[in-house]
C-alpha cells in the first residue's frame, strides 16, 4: 500500500496533465491548472529545504573552521540581509534595496563570470583541436566557415561565406540538432512513461 | 470533449503510443532474456575508473546533476543525473569515499537527500561528504560548485544532467585545476563544449543510458532498448530528409 | 573485534565496513530485491534471469548443475605452454623445483570455491579470526613491489585483452573461461601473495616423502582436496612472517640476492625429501608461486590424500584473493605505470571475474616466478617511472587568454574596423523579423518577454535594443513580462534608455515576473489574469492601465516577442503560448540558440528570428540607424577571427599532443 498510493497519485496526475495537453476541456483544464499550482507550492516548499541546507552547511563550515570559512560568514550575512530587506520592504523583491543589490552586485558579478566563458571556450577549443582527431578537424573547419560567414568584414567574399554558413547552419546542423533533440525527447518520453506507469519509482518509496 | 489536435499534438500522441508499445515489449524482452548487450560507453567506464581512483586516494568525488529541476522540461536530464548520483553515493557508502553533490534547484536537492538515504540503506552508512545547495542562478551555481571542488580537493568531477553554458565554466575551471572531469548533457548548444573540454563525455541521449549501465535496473534497460529502436527509425527518417532537402526535392 | 579480511585492521564489533580500508566486513545481505538479483560483487541489480552480472561479469547463479567431471580440462594448457618458454638455464631449475614441490603438497585445486547453493555463491566468506590474527600487518616488501612492477609491464597486453572482452558475450550456460583458469586478471596476486603464504606452506612441511613425483596430465577440477590440518596447527609450525621479512626486503636489482643464492645451494637436496629446516629458510612470500608452477603437472592423488578430499568446506582465505575489479593503471605518483597495485573499489567487492579464483591463480604465479627469475638474471636498473604532468598547458592558456583579451579590447578602443553597410545581406529570418514588426499597425499592443538572466545580458541587450527601438519607432504599445525574477529590472533599464520620455501605462507597462516558470507560463496562456495580478513598477491592478484595456488572453497581443537566453524558455513559449490559436511569435535569442530555434522558424511557428550580436547588427542595419550594436559588432567579429587563427596556429605550428 505504501508503494501503491504514490504510484497511483503519480499516474493519475500525469494522465490528467497529459490529457489536458491533448484535449481541450474546461473541467480538465481547471483540474490540471490546480495540479500545476500545487506543484508550484511544493516547489516553493522545497526552497525552504534549500535554505536550511545553506544554513546548516555554512554554519558547519564556520564552526569547524573549514577551508574558506570566512566566505561562509559573508554568505550567511548577505543572505539574511537580502531576506530581511526583501521582507521588510513593502514592495518586496522590487524594493529599492534589493534592486540596488541586483543592479550593482548580482548583475555585474554574473556578467563578469559569464564573460570568462569566452576565454574558457577558447582554451577548451584549443585543447579539443589538439587532439587532432577527425571529428575535431571537422569541427574546426565548420567553426571557421561559420565564423567567416558571420564576420561581416570582408565585403566582397562575405556573401559566399555567408552562403556556406547558411548551408552549414540550415542543413547539417539543423538535421543533427533534430536528431539530438528527437533522441533526447525519446529519453524524456521514456523517463516520463516509466514514471507514469510506475515501472520504476526512483524517488517514491 | 474537443479533440481538435494540431499536427504536432497528433504526432506527439502517435509517437507516445508507439513508444509505449515498444517500451512494454522491451520490458517483457528484458524480463525473458536478461540484459541486452550494451555498447561500451567510454565516459561511464572512465567514471568507474575515476571512482576507483577516488576510493584509493580517499579524496572526494563531486557530482553535479546540472541546473535543471524536477517537474519541468529538464526533468529527464535531472533524473539521469540523479541516477548517476545514486550510483556514486552507493559506492561512496560502501567504500567510505566522500561524495560531494551540488544543486541549483530545490527540487533536485530534495531528490538528492533521497538518493543519499537510499545509498545509506544499501551500504549501511551514509557516505561522507556534503550535499550543497548553491544558487538557482546558473552562473552563481557554477562559481559556487567550482569553489566546492577546490575547497574539498575533489579527485574527480562528474557533471551529468541538464546544463547550459555553466557547463563550460565549471568544466574548464576543474580542468584547469588538473581535476579529471566526466560530463554529459543534452543541450545542443552546450555539446560542443562538452566535446571540447573533456575526453570523457556523454553526448545527448547517452546520458539516459547511464542509469541502465550503472544500475542494471530492468526498467531502465527496457527503456534503453525501446529508445534505441525508436531512434533507429527516426534516424533513418532524418537522413533521408536531409538528403532530399539538400537535393531540393522537398522544401521548408 | 572484527578483523578486516583485506588489511587486517581490528574493527569494533558490529562494524560493517573496515575503518581503515573500507572493505566490507560482513556478507552482503538483501541479495534479492523485487524481482531482480543483486550482484554479490558489485551490488548491481540484475534481472533474475541473468546468469552473470551484466555489470561486472560475476556469476549470479552457481554452477551446481554441472558435475566436476564435465568441467573443461584445458585450464592449465596456456600455462604449460608458457612454462616451456623459460630460458634453458632456468628450465632445469624450474623443472626440479616443480617436482620437489609437487611431491610435497596437495594440488592447488584444493582451493576451488564451488558453492553448492545460491546463498553460498553470493556470500562473501568471512575470514576466520584465527587466520587474520596471524597475518602480519606488514607493508608489502619492496622486493615484491618491484617484482610486480616488472610483471605488470609484461602482462599489460594480457590484461588489456581481457578488459576488452565484453561481459555480455560470455556464454550463459557453458562454463566461462574464467572458471577454467585460462584467463586471469593479473592484479589479483598483488593482494594475495603475502597473506596466503603462511597458510599454504603448511602442507609442504608435512608432506610425506612417499608421494609419487611423476605426473604429466593435469586434471585439477576433480582434485579438490582439503589439507588435513586445522589452521591453528599451521601457524604453530610455520615460521612467522616477521622472521621472513628481512630477507624478503632485500633489493633485487644489483646482484643475485642472498636468498636466491641460498635457494640454489639447496637445490641438490631437492631430489631427496626436503627437510623442514631448509624450507623454512627459503620460505618467502612468493614461495607459493612455486606451488603454482607445480600445480598443472599434478594428476594422480594417493589414496590417503583422496580420503582427505573436502566435502563442502570453503577455504577460508578466499576474500583476500578476490581479484580487483579491473587492472587499474596508476597514472600519478610513484606507482605510475603499475596496474592493480592499490586496492580499487576494495578487493572484496567488485572483481572483474567472480570469486572462484584460486585455481586460476596458477599461471599468474608461474609468471610471477618466471619474471622474478628473469629479473634476478637480467635486470640491472629499476624501470624508469614517468610521472605525467597535467598542468603542463596552463601557461599557454594564459597566453591564449591574453591574445583574446587584446583582440577584443583593442578594436573597441580604436574603433576599428567599421561596420560594412549592407554587406553581406541579412539572413532571411532577420529580414522576416523586420517585416513582421514593420507590418504591425500603429498602436498595436506587443508583449515582449525578457527571459534571460543577468549573465546573458551582455549579448541579449545587443539583441533586445534594436528590436525595442523598432517597436518604439513603429509606435507600438509595449508590455514586458519575464519568467526570470531578474528580468523586469533588466527590461525597465533598457526601455528607460531607449524610450527616453514615455507615458507609463499607455506606451509601456512592466508586467513583472511570472513565477513558476513553465507552469506560470501555462497559467499565462490560459488567461493573463491567471498569471499576473499587479504590474511591476507601481503595483497597481492591470486593468488600471490604458495599455491593458481589452487584453485578456495571449492572442490579444498583435505580436509576442521572446528575448530568450536559454532554450527551455523559448520552448515553453512555443509550446504553451505559440500553440494557442491566433498568437504570433517572433524570437530574438542568444547566438547559441540559433540552431535550436531554426526548426521552429522553418516550420512557421516562429515568424522571425534574430540570433546573437551579428544578426542584431544586421537588424540595426535594416533599421537604417546603426548605433549600439554596430559600434562593437565588428570588433567582436575580429576577436572571434583572431581566436580562430590562434587555435589554428596552435595546432599547425605548436606540434602534436
Amino acid at each position: 500500500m505504501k508503494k501503491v498510493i504514490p504510484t497511483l497519485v503519480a499516474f493519475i496526475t500525469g494522465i490528467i496533465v497529459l490529457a489536458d495537453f491533448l484535449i481541450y476541456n474546461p473541467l480538465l483544464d481547471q483540474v490540471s491548472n490546480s495540479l500545476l499550482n500545487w506543484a508550484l507550492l511544493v516547489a516553493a516548499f522545497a526552497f525552504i529545504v534549500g535554505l536550511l541546507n545553506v544554513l546548516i552547511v555554512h554554519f558547519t563550515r564556520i564552526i569547524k573552521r573549514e577551508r574558506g570559512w570566512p566566505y561562509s560568514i559573508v554568505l550567511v550575512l548577505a543572505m539574511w540581509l537580502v531576506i530581511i530587506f526583501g521582507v521588510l520592504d513593502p514592495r518586496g523583491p522590487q524594493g529599492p534595496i534589493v534592486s540596488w543589490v541586483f543592479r550593482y552586485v548580482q548583475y555585474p558579478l554574473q556578467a563578469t563570470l559569464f564573460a570568462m566563458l569566452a576565454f574558457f571556450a577558447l582554451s577548451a577549443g584549443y585543447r579539443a583541436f589538439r587532439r587532432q582527431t577527425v571529428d575535431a578537424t571537422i569541427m574546426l573547419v565548420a567553426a571557421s566557415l561559420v565564423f567567416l560567414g558571420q564576420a561581416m568584414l570582408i565585403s566582397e567574399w562575405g556573401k559566399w561565406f555567408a552562403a556556406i554558413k547558411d548551408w552549414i547552419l540550415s542543413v547539417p546542423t539543423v538535421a543533427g540538432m533534430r536528431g539530438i533533440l528527437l533522441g533526447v525527447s525519446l529519453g524524456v518520453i521514456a523517463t516520463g512513461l516509466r514514471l507514469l506507469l510506475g515501472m520504476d519509482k526512483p524517488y517514491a518509496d | 470533449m474537443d479533440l481538435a489536435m494540431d499536427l504536432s499534438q497528433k504526432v506527439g500522441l502517435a509517437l507516445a503510443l508507439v513508444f509505449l508499445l515498444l517500451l512494454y515489449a522491451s520490458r517483457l524482452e528484458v524480463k525473458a532474456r536478461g540484459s541486452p548487450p550494451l555498447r561500451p560507453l567510454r565516459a561511464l567506464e572512465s567514471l568507474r575508473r575515476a571512482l576507483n581512483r577516488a576510493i584509493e586516494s580517499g579524496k572526494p568525488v563531486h557530482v553535479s546533476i546540472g541546473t535543471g529541476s524536477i517537474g519541468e522540461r529538464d526533468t529527464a536530464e535531472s533524473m539521469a543525473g540523479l541516477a548517476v548520483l545514486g550510483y556514486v553515493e552507493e559506492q561512496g557508502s560502501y567504500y567510505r569515499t566522500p561524495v560531494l553533490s551540488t544543486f541549483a534547484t530545490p527540487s533536485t536537492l530534495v531528490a538528492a537527500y533521497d538518493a543519499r538515504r537510499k545509498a545509506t540503506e544499501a551500504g549501511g552508512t551514509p557516505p561522507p561528504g556534503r550535499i550543497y545547495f548553491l544558487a538557482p542562478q546558473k552562473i552563481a551555481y557554477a562559481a559556487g560548485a567550482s569553489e566546492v571542488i577546490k575547497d574539498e580537493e575533489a579527485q574527480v568531477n562528474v557533471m551529468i544532467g541538464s546544463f547550459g553554458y555553466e557547463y563550460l565554466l565549471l568544466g574548464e575551471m576543474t580542468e584547469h585545476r588538473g581535476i579529471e572531469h566526466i560530463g554529459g548533457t543534452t543541450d545542443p548548444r552546450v555539446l560542443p563544449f562538452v566535446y571540447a573540454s573533456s575526453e570523457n563525455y556523454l553526448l545527448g541521449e547517452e546520458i539516459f543510458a547511464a542509469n541502465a549501465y550503472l544500475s542494471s535496473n530492468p526498467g531502465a534497460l527496457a527503456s534503453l532498448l525501446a529508445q534505441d529502436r525508436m531512434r533507429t527509425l527516426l534516424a533513418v527518417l532524418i537522413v533521408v530528409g536531409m538528403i532530399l532537402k539538400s537535393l531540393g526535392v522537398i522544401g521548408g | 573485534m572484527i578483523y578486516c579480511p583485506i588489511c587486517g585492521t581490528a574493527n569494533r564489533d558490529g562494524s560493517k565496513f573496515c575503518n581503515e580500508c573500507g572493505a566490507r566486513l560482513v556478507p552482503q545481505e538483501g541479495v534479492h530485491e523485487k524481482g531482480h538479483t543483486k550482484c554479490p560483487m558489485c551490488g548491481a541489480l540484475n534481472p533474475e534471469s541473468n546468469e552473470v552480472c551484466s555489470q561486472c561479469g560475476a556469476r549470479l547463479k552457481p554452477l551446481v548443475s554441472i558435475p566436476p567431471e564435465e568441467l573443461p580440462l584445458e585450464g592449465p594448457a596456456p600455462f604449460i605452454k608458457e612454462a616451456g618458454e623459460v630460458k634453458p638455464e632456468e628450465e632445469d631449475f624450474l623443472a626440479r623445483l616443480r617436482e620437489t614441490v609437487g611431491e610435497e603438497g596437495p594440488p592447488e585445486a584444493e582451493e576451488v570455491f564451488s558453492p553448492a547453493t545460491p546463498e553460498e555463491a553470493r556470500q562473501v566468506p568471512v575470514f576466520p579470526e584465527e587466520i587474520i590474527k596471524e597475518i602480519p600487518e606488514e607493508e608489502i616488501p619492496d622486493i615484491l613491489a618491484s617484482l610486480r612492477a616488472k610483471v605488470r609491464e609484461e602482462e599489460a597486453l594480457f590484461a588489456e585483452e581481457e578488459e576488452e572482452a565484453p561481459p555480455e558475450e560470455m556464454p550463459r550456460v557453458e562454463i566461462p573461461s574464467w572458471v577454467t583458469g585460462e584467463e586471469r586478471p593479473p592484479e589479483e596476486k598483488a593482494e594475495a601473495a603475502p597473506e596466503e603464504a603462511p597458510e599454504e606452506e603448511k602442507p609442504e612441511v608435512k608432506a610425506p616423502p612417499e608421494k609419487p613425483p611423476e605426473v604429466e596430465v593435469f586434471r585439477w577440477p576433480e582434485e579438490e582436496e582439503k589439507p588435513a590440518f586445522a589452521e591453528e596447527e599451521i601457524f604453530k609450525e610455520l615460521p612467522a612472517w616477521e622472521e621472513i621479512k628481512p630477507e624478503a626486503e632485500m633489493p633485487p636489482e644489483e646482484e643475485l640476492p642472498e636468498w636466491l643464492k641460498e635457494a640454489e645451494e639447496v637445490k641438490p637436496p631437492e631430489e631427496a625429501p626436503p627437510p623442514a629446516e631448509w624450507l623454512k629458510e627459503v620460505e618467502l612470500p612468493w614461495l607459493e608461486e612455486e606451488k603454482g608452477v607445480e600445480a598443472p603437472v599434478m594428476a594422480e592423488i594417493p589414496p590417503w590424500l583422496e580420503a582427505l578430499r573436502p566435502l563442502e568446506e570453503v577455504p577460508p582465505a578466499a576474500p583476500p584473493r578476490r581479484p580487483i575489479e579491473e587492472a587499474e593503471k596508476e597514472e600519478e605518483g610513484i606507482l605510475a605505470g603499475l596496474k592493480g597495485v592499490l586496492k580499487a573499489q576494495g578487493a572484496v567487492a567488485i572483481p572483474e571475474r567472480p570469486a572462484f579464483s584460486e585455481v586460476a591463480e596458477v599461471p599468474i604465479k608461474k609468471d610471477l616466478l618466471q619474471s622474478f627469475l628473469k629479473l634476478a638474471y637480467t635486470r640491472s636498473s629499476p624501470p624508469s617511472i614517468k610521472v605525467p604532468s597535467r598542468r603542463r598547458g596552463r601557461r599557454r592558456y594564459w597566453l591564449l587568454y591574453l591574445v583574446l583579451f587584446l583582440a577584443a579590447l583593442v578594436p573597441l578602443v580604436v574603433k576599428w574596423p567599421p561596420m560594412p553597410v549592407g554587406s553581406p545581406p541579412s539572413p532571411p529570418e532577420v529580414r522576416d523579423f523586420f517585416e513582421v514588426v514593420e507590418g504591425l499597425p500603429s498602436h498595436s499592443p506587443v508583449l515582449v518577454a525578457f527571459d534571460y538572466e543577468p549573465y546573458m545580458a551582455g549579448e541579449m541587450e545587443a539583441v533586445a535594443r534594436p528590436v525595442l527601438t523598432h517597436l518604439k519607432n513603429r509606435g507600438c504599445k509595449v508590455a514586458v513580462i519575464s519568467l526570470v525574477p531578474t528580468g523586469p529590472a533588466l527590461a525597465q533599464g533598457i526601455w528607460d534608455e531607449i524610450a527616453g520620455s514615455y507615458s507609463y501605462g499607455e506606451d509601456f507597462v512592466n508586467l513583472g515576473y511570472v513565477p513558476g516558470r513553465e507552469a506560470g507560463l501555462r497559467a499565462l496562456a490560459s488567461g493573463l489574469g491567471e498569471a499576473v495580478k499587479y504590474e511591476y513598477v507601481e503595483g497597481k491592478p492591470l486593468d488600471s492601465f490604458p495599455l491593458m484595456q481589452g487584453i485578456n488572453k495571449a492572442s490579444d497581443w498583435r505580436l509576442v516577442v521572446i528575448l530568450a537566453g536559454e532554450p527551455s524558455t523559448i520552448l515553453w513559449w512555443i509550446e504553451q503560448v505559440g500553440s494557442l490559436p491566433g498568437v504570433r511569435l517572433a524570437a530574438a535569442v542568444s547566438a547559441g540558440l540559433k540552431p535550436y530555434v531554426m526548426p521552429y522558424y522553418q516550420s512557421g511557428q516562429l515568424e522571425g528570428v534574430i540570433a546573437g550580436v551579428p544578426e542584431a547588427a544586421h537588424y540595426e542595419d535594416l533599421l537604417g540607424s546603426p548605433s549600439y550594436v554596430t559600434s562593437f559588432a565588428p570588433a567582436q567579429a575580429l576577436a572571434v577571427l583572431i581566436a580562430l587563427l590562434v587555435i589554428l596556429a596552435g595546432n599547425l605550428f605548436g606540434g602534436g599532443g
Side-chain angles (χ1 to χ4, degrees):
Chain A
M1 211 54 189
K2 203 182 149 204
K3 285 184 180 174
V4 173
I5 290 177
T7 313
L8 209 64
V9 169
F11 178 76
I12 294 172
T13 316
I15 286 291
I16 289 175
V17 177
L18 193 69
D20 181 49
F21 179 70
L22 295 171
I23 300 163
Y24 293 116
N25 180 297
L27 180 70
L28 209 58
D29 217 39
Q30 222 168 1
V31 174
S32 161
N33 273 344
S34 321
L35 285 174
L36 288 168
N37 284 335
W38 291 358
L40 281 183
L41 277 177
V42 173
F45 272 107
F47 257 104
I48 298 176
V49 179
L51 182 77
L52 288 176
N53 173 289
V54 169
L55 287 177
I56 292 170
V57 163
H58 288 280
F59 272 123
T60 319
R61 281 170 62 99
I62 294 166
I63 289 165
K64 290 191 180 169
R65 296 282 189 277
E66 284 178 33
R67 192 169 158 186
W69 63 273
Y71 299 113
S72 292
I73 297 180
V74 175
L75 186 141
V76 172
L77 283 180
M79 186 178 89
W80 281 115
L81 281 178
V82 175
I83 288 178
I84 289 167
F85 283 116
V87 170
L88 289 184
D89 196 300
R91 289 187 51 213
Q94 278 126 43
I97 295 173
V98 180
S99 296
W100 185 89
V101 169
F102 165 74
R103 202 179 179 89
Y104 296 105
V105 181
Q106 200 182 350
Y107 181 107
L109 271 180
Q110 288 204 20
T112 313
L113 270 171
F114 190 70
M116 286 170 68
L117 215 58
F119 298 98
F120 287 160
L122 180 64
S123 59
Y126 189 81
R127 220 173 37 244
F129 299 133
R130 283 189 80 81
R131 279 186 230 153
Q132 300 190 339
T133 57
V134 177
D135 352 355
T137 313
I138 292 173
M139 192 162 145
L140 184 60
V141 171
S144 313
L145 290 172
V146 172
F147 280 150
L148 288 175
Q150 285 182 335
M152 304 174 295
L153 296 170
I154 325 150
S155 24
E156 293 85 39
W157 304 349
K159 60 182 174 189
W160 298 108
F161 282 119
I164 295 169
K165 177 206 79 175
D166 282 344
W167 183 83
I168 289 174
L169 286 185
S170 69
V171 184
T173 312
V174 167
M177 286 267 309
R178 279 190 175 149
I180 291 169
L181 289 180
L182 282 171
V184 169
S185 57
L186 285 179
V188 173
I189 295 170
T191 309
L193 286 178
R194 271 184 11 236
L195 289 175
L196 199 67
L197 302 179
M199 256 167 86
D200 52 10
K201 301 172 273 291
Y203 302 104
D205 58 4
Chain B
M1 278 283 182
D2 183 5
L3 275 172
M5 294 189 279
D6 65 21
L7 185 67
S8 70
Q9 281 173 325
K10 279 178 195 159
V11 170
L13 187 62
L15 199 77
L17 287 179
V18 171
F19 203 11
L20 193 67
L21 289 176
L22 264 177
L23 193 61
Y24 189 67
S26 307
R27 181 76 180 85
L28 292 180
E29 193 183 321
V30 169
K31 214 171 194 170
R33 290 206 239 149
S35 166
L38 299 174
R39 165 171 74 94
L41 282 178
R42 195 169 65 163
L44 292 176
E45 287 308 309
S46 308
L47 171 64
R48 286 215 188 104
R49 283 173 202 187
L51 216 54
N52 289 353
R53 276 193 287 279
I55 289 167
E56 283 165 14
S57 65
K59 283 178 163 186
V61 182
H62 173 259
V63 182
S64 168
I65 67 158
T67 49
S69 62
I70 292 179
E72 285 175 13
R73 169 169 300 282
D74 36 23
T75 303
E77 284 90 337
S78 303
M79 299 289 279
L82 281 168
V84 175
L85 174 66
Y87 172 78
V88 176
E89 289 265 0
E90 204 166 296
Q91 297 293 313
S93 170
Y94 285 145
Y95 303 114
R96 314 280 312 141
T97 299
V99 179
L100 313 166
S101 47
T102 50
F103 296 90
T105 52
S107 52
T108 51
L109 174 75
V110 176
Y113 279 116
D114 209 63
R116 175 149 291 193
R117 182 181 60 78
K118 284 194 170 170
T120 310
E121 275 172 17
T125 45
R130 282 202 190 109
I131 296 174
Y132 288 85
F133 178 68
L134 294 175
Q137 287 86 18
K138 299 180 176 214
I139 295 298
Y141 167 78
S146 149
E147 283 304 295
V148 167
I149 291 169
K150 189 185 86 184
D151 282 351
E152 307 254 5
E153 294 172 8
Q155 165 85 22
V156 57
N157 176 23
V158 183
M159 304 192 289
I160 295 175
S162 161
F163 284 92
Y165 290 127
E166 66 275 9
Y167 179 95
L168 183 61
L169 214 53
L170 188 50
E172 279 298 285
M173 280 174 180
T174 52
E175 191 71 29
H176 288 192
R177 294 211 174 94
I179 298 167
E180 184 177 3
H181 91 270
I182 294 158
T185 189
T186 55
D187 187 342
R189 81 210 149 108
V190 189
L191 290 183
F193 299 136
V194 175
Y195 170 80
S197 64
S198 170
E199 289 185 44
N200 302 311
Y201 45 78
L202 293 168
L203 298 180
E205 72 262 39
E206 281 173 355
I207 69 166
F208 298 118
N211 190 5
Y213 272 73
L214 295 175
S215 76
S216 303
N217 169 342
L221 281 167
S223 92
L224 195 62
L225 213 60
Q227 277 173 59
D228 254 16
R229 287 167 184 171
M230 199 81 184
R231 188 179 49 177
T232 313
L233 190 75
L234 292 169
V236 171
L237 292 178
I238 286 175
V239 171
V240 169
M242 182 176 147
I243 293 168
L244 290 182
K245 193 176 175 193
S246 292
L247 295 175
V249 181
I250 51 168
Chain C
M1 284 298 176
I2 301 177
Y3 293 90
C4 174
I6 306 305
C7 66
T9 307
N11 288 279
R12 267 187 301 123
D13 279 333
S15 304
K16 287 179 177 159
F17 298 90
C18 175
N19 281 333
E20 189 62 33
C21 68
R24 183 175 279 279
L25 296 174
V26 289
Q28 199 167 334
E29 285 169 343
V31 285
H32 279 292
E33 274 190 21
K34 300 171 255 169
H36 29 259
T37 311
K38 192 161 194 168
C39 173
M41 297 298 126
C42 66
L45 290 181
N46 287 273
E48 263 179 339
S49 54
N50 273 19
E51 293 271 350
V52 295
C53 177
S54 58
Q55 186 89 5
C56 67
R59 180 152 281 279
L60 299 171
K61 295 187 178 162
L63 294 163
V64 275
S65 57
I66 298 158
E69 306 87 78
E70 283 174 35
L71 287 171
L73 300 181
E74 70 272 22
F79 155 61
I80 290 170
K81 188 186 126 258
E82 282 184 42
E85 294 164 9
V86 192
K87 284 181 198 165
E89 68 264 34
E90 293 166 0
E91 213 168 19
D92 188 31
F93 163 71
L94 264 180
R96 270 179 293 163
L97 205 55
R98 242 178 259 146
E99 279 169 26
T100 318
V101 183
E103 284 170 40
E104 292 161 2
E108 189 70 12
E110 75 184 59
E111 300 282 334
V112 177
F113 176 68
S114 49
T117 63
E119 287 70 31
E120 202 179 333
R122 284 181 203 106
Q123 275 181 6
V124 178
V126 179
F127 210 76
E129 281 187 30
E130 292 84 1
I131 295 183
I132 301 162
K133 275 178 193 156
E134 291 296 328
I135 295 175
E137 297 179 18
E138 290 305 317
E139 299 280 358
I140 295 170
D142 290 348
I143 188 169
L144 253 185
S146 56
L147 184 60
R148 276 176 211 147
K150 178 79 178 166
V151 178
R152 292 295 124 70
E153 280 165 25
E154 290 179 0
E155 286 175 357
L157 264 175
F158 175 59
E160 269 165 35
E161 267 172 36
E162 180 155 284
E163 272 175 26
E164 279 167 21
E168 63 270 14
E169 285 171 17
M170 201 184 290
R172 288 238 179 85
V173 186
E174 305 158 23
I175 321 279
S177 58
W178 49 264
V179 173
T180 69
E182 252 175 3
E183 286 184 347
R184 267 318 295 145
E187 64 272 23
E188 150 212 43
K189 53 188 174 284
E191 296 293 328
E195 291 164 11
E196 281 169 11
E199 179 205 346
E200 295 201 357
E201 280 153 8
K202 192 254 152 190
E204 296 169 15
V205 178
K206 287 255 177 168
E210 63 267 24
K211 246 181 85 188
E214 69 317 304
V215 243
E216 283 314 315
V217 190
F218 178 63
R219 295 151 51 79
W220 55 274
E222 299 132 82
E223 293 163 3
E224 294 187 11
E225 281 171 81
K226 186 196 176 181
F229 325 95
E231 286 85 351
E232 291 87 338
E233 277 180 73
I234 301 178
F235 294 107
K236 273 178 219 153
E237 297 187 20
L238 279 176
W241 178 258
E242 284 81 357
E243 295 168 33
I244 300 167
K245 194 196 68 194
E247 289 172 352
E249 277 176 344
M250 291 182 52
E253 287 88 359
E254 299 306 320
E255 45 176 315
L256 208 56
E258 287 301 312
W259 59 265
L260 200 59
K261 284 179 190 159
E262 268 182 90
E264 287 189 341
E265 279 165 25
V266 293
K267 255 188 278 166
E270 278 175 17
E271 319 292 340
E277 280 73 31
W278 76 260
L279 237 187
K280 278 179 187 166
E281 278 182 30
V282 198
E283 264 165 359
L284 288 168
W286 44 266
L287 192 64
E288 57 158 331
E289 267 74 84
E290 297 176 28
K291 266 181 54 75
V293 170
E294 136 276 318
V297 288
M298 288 295 298
E300 290 180 20
I301 295 150
W304 65 269
L305 252 181
E306 192 68 51
L308 298 173
R309 182 187 292 277
L311 296 175
E312 281 200 10
E313 182 159 51
V314 174
R321 287 181 214 146
R322 291 281 153 77
I324 310 169
E325 183 187 31
E326 50 194 332
E328 195 57 68
K329 196 164 183 177
E330 296 304 310
E331 288 178 353
E332 289 175 311
I334 53 162
L335 296 177
L338 304 194
K339 277 192 170 185
V341 179
L342 299 175
K343 283 192 300 295
Q345 294 213 341
V348 201
I350 310 185
E352 180 72 28
R353 306 290 184 201
F356 318 90
S357 60
E358 281 71 24
V359 225
E361 278 173 35
V362 172
I364 311 306
K365 289 177 185 162
K366 183 271 304 176
D367 287 345
L368 188 64
L369 177 64
Q370 195 175 315
S371 60
F372 189 77
L373 291 171
K374 273 189 203 157
L375 195 79
Y377 285 122
T378 60
R379 185 128 137 252
S380 55
S381 64
S384 63
I385 293 170
K386 193 180 154 214
V387 181
S389 152
R390 290 203 65 176
R391 306 214 163 214
R392 206 159 38 93
R394 195 160 187 171
R395 180 164 293 170
R396 200 178 294 136
Y397 289 152
W398 283 111
L399 193 66
L400 278 183
Y401 294 164
L402 186 68
V403 170
L404 182 63
F405 182 70
L406 291 177
L409 185 73
V410 172
L412 269 184
V413 173
V414 302
K415 301 218 184 296
W416 185 91
M419 172 90 181
V421 178
S423 173
S426 345
E429 62 272 14
V430 177
R431 280 200 303 274
D432 278 353
F433 198 116
F434 186 81
E435 300 296 327
V436 166
V437 176
E438 200 66 23
L440 289 174
S442 191
H443 304 297
S444 302
V446 174
L447 182 67
V448 180
F450 271 73
D451 290 340
Y452 58 88
E453 291 196 47
Y455 69 87
M456 295 291 288
E459 182 184 15
M460 287 308 297
E461 229 172 85
V463 178
R465 274 167 179 271
V467 176
L468 291 176
T469 308
H470 194 194
L471 288 173
K472 182 189 147 275
N473 292 350
R474 294 287 314 149
C476 295
K477 296 170 180 297
V478 175
V480 293
I481 199 162
S482 179
L483 297 180
V484 291
T486 46
L490 290 170
Q492 196 67 42
I494 294 181
W495 186 263
D496 286 346
E497 257 183 70
I498 287 176
S501 65
Y502 58 93
S503 156
Y504 188 85
E506 240 176 273
D507 304 327
F508 176 84
V509 71
N510 194 337
L511 300 180
Y513 163 57
V514 176
R517 292 152 65 91
E518 191 172 14
L521 199 53
R522 260 182 80 96
L524 186 78
S526 58
L528 193 60
E530 294 283 328
V532 188
K533 301 271 190 281
Y534 304 98
E535 65 79 54
Y536 172 79
V537 176
E538 297 169 4
K540 291 184 191 160
L542 292 187
D543 47 15
S544 62
F545 296 97
L547 195 155
M548 299 304 295
Q549 302 298 325
I551 303 231
N552 298 309
K553 52 185 194 295
S555 55
D556 291 335
W557 305 101
R558 299 303 289 263
L559 179 69
V560 179
V561 176
I562 307 136
L563 301 168
E566 296 286 331
S568 50
T569 44
I570 187 101
L571 293 181
W572 293 339
W573 276 99
I574 291 168
E575 258 170 32
Q576 304 290 355
V577 178
S579 61
L580 297 177
V583 174
R584 302 176 73 191
L585 287 184
V589 297
S590 139
L593 294 192
K594 174 149 192 188
Y596 235 110
V597 295
M598 282 313 275
Y600 298 100
Y601 168 72
Q602 283 161 1
S603 70
Q605 281 160 286
L606 291 173
E607 299 200 9
V609 169
I610 305 171
V613 172
E615 296 196 357
H618 280 299
Y619 199 90
E620 260 193 10
D621 205 23
L622 289 171
L623 273 177
S625 60
S627 57
Y628 179 76
V629 187
T630 31
S631 67
F632 69 86
Q636 190 213 28
L638 188 68
V640 166
L641 273 182
I642 288 173
L644 196 65
L645 288 176
V646 166
I647 289 178
L648 272 174
N651 282 283
L652 292 179
F653 308 115

